[in-house]
Amino acid sequence: MSDPAPGGAGERRPATGDDPTALATGADGPVPAAGADRGTAVTETVARRNGAAPALAAPTSTPERRAWPRPRRPSWPTWRRDLAVYGVFLAVAVWVTSQIWIDPSGRVASLYSSDPAQVQYFLAHSVRVVLHGEFPFFTDRLNYPDGVNLMANTAILALAIPMVPVTLLFGPAVSFVVLVTLGLAGTASAWYYVLSRHVVRAPVAAIVGGWLCGFSPAMLSHANWHPNIISQFLLPFIVWRVVLLTRSTHVVRDGLVLALLVSYQAFINEEILLFTALACGVFLLAVLVQRPGRFRAAWRPLGGGLLVCAVLASALLAYPLWVQFAGPQAYHGLSDTVRDYGNDLAAFVSPGTPTLGGNERANADLAPNYSEENAFLGWGLVLLAAAIVAWLRREVIVRALAFTGLFFAVLSLGERITYWNRELVWGPWDWLVKAPLLDAVVPTRFGLITTVAVGLLLALAVDRVWALPVGNPRTLRRVVVAALAIVLIPIVPMPLKEGHRPPVPKFITSGQWRPYVSDEQTLVPIPVPDMGNTHGMRWAAATNLDFRIPGGYFLAPRNGNTGDSGRFGGRPSGIGPLLQDVATTGRTPKLTEQQRRRCLDELRYWRAAILVLPVREHNADPLRQTVEQLVGPGRPQSDVWIWDVRDLTSRKS
């Protein structure tokens, strides 16, 4: 993306013409920075070389600044340094996921396993998309016969389809841990790459920024459950392309590139894409408010590029988005369960649970759950970020980043602002929660934007320190590294805590179920799959969805009516909650004839062929006795109890 620097063999350095601080220099001259400013004054030649319009480079009237000192020849060319950094990030990601790697099929997040099972199901769905040409945006193999709108459930097609070979060879459980590992390492590496090429000159600054963006406590929190959220490797490039549009001389080309990035990210996670768009908008607005003269030069290329992007992205995403918002099983708005998820104020100054200084018990009331610790920077990092803003307060980019991070930190507090779980006041999110698109946002996740803003501030501060004209720079840098260690050690990532989960029954993996279940019938796991019990989804995923199942863990319209507000699970059931209560309490109820008739009606609606209960299921005996009251005696086969109900469900009444 940039030419080799004159300082050494193959050394590529960020061209000043590509510096986002160029957006912060207006006709009224540059903003003097505390310490050494990297120089937003750029020659017209450098600006043209990097695709910047001469008019958007710093004005010729800008006083000449101190030139960046000519570097010594590096011991390694840039590509070797890059490979070393990528290798370290990958090693850290493997360290974080090491407990899952020990046994991908038998280990899962210790607190709850619903989301990993759902992701594994979606990975298996992509196998059927590739091998059998099945419709990618909807399936009736889950929640049969109503089905599930996969576009409305983050089916991660952009991640799952490239993983099809791994899923076929090793199974969806292995694909899941590969995605988590690469998501963490890839995000850190992408931020490092963009920072080192376009934002900072000191490699250590890019490494620090990439580290925090890729391995922040918020990212670690999501790693056990949400590979779609931690796979943010496209976001640095999207952000950079948006900034580049403000001074582009190739508006159509740059708009097309941005559209392709946006379209691909939409099939990873739309919520993170929306966050990126909002963050870019707030950041650019904060810059232009400070330098309104910039708007006169920036609005034409920015507006033209975004228009090109919108046209192409709309063409690519129109049909998938129609399926999501108007297709079968579409819903509007999130479940009430998650709509009020917000960060506690104290969460920002506490270390995250999956970090060296984390305290699981202390954090229990500061986040909605352990998979949504979206703040948790710790006192040290919060104070350091404040000090950076105070030190570099005269830099437009620093003020814009600070405002962006603070703005979304406030929104992440949710509808009610709390401190150590004590409600204080209603928050501004209460005014926005029902706005279009925002009604499908989990507000606590706005904290992810704040984390990235802090990471970028940290990178800029390290870069400025490395450029200070002091007599003994080595001593200064050692002091800075020591200070960073003191701040970052409490949030050093630790291996994710994992628990054991029951294996998929041999009855399933050996194919013994196949003589019983035709393609238009269902295999009903006991208990029936729902948000709290997703083992049946793993069974189906282990066979690449060769059989259909009722129920499951997903978002769907309330009461099963397309267009209603969202809820977890399908239409209300009688047999599902009944068996779930038995599995939880271990008590066998005495069923009435009315309950039995309702359950049989549901089995007929599901076109059930067999009911399957693992012999080692928790409270297996009470579950077996309850099912026998419904459909009669079962029989053991392999490692399960089965009930062949084809005769019962084929009858009309």
Side-chain angles (χ1 to χ4, degrees), residues 137 149 151 267 270 315-325:
F137 309 136
N149 189 319
M151 277 302 298
F267 291 106
E270 291 174 318
L316 295 174
L317 298 174
Y319 181 65
L321 291 178
W322 178 88
V323 173
Q324 176 177 346
F325 293 106

Side-chain angles (χ1 to χ4, degrees), residues 372-383:
E372 295 288 353
E373 292 188 353
N374 295 295
F376 295 89
L377 298 172
W379 270 114
L381 194 53
V382 169
L383 293 176

Side-chain angles (χ1 to χ4, degrees), residues 519-543:
D519 190 53
E520 297 301 322
Q521 295 175 309
T522 62
L523 183 152
V524 182
I526 303 298
V528 179
D530 62 10
M531 183 178 180
N533 191 316
T534 53
H535 297 320
M537 294 177 66
R538 291 195 301 116
W539 300 0
T543 67

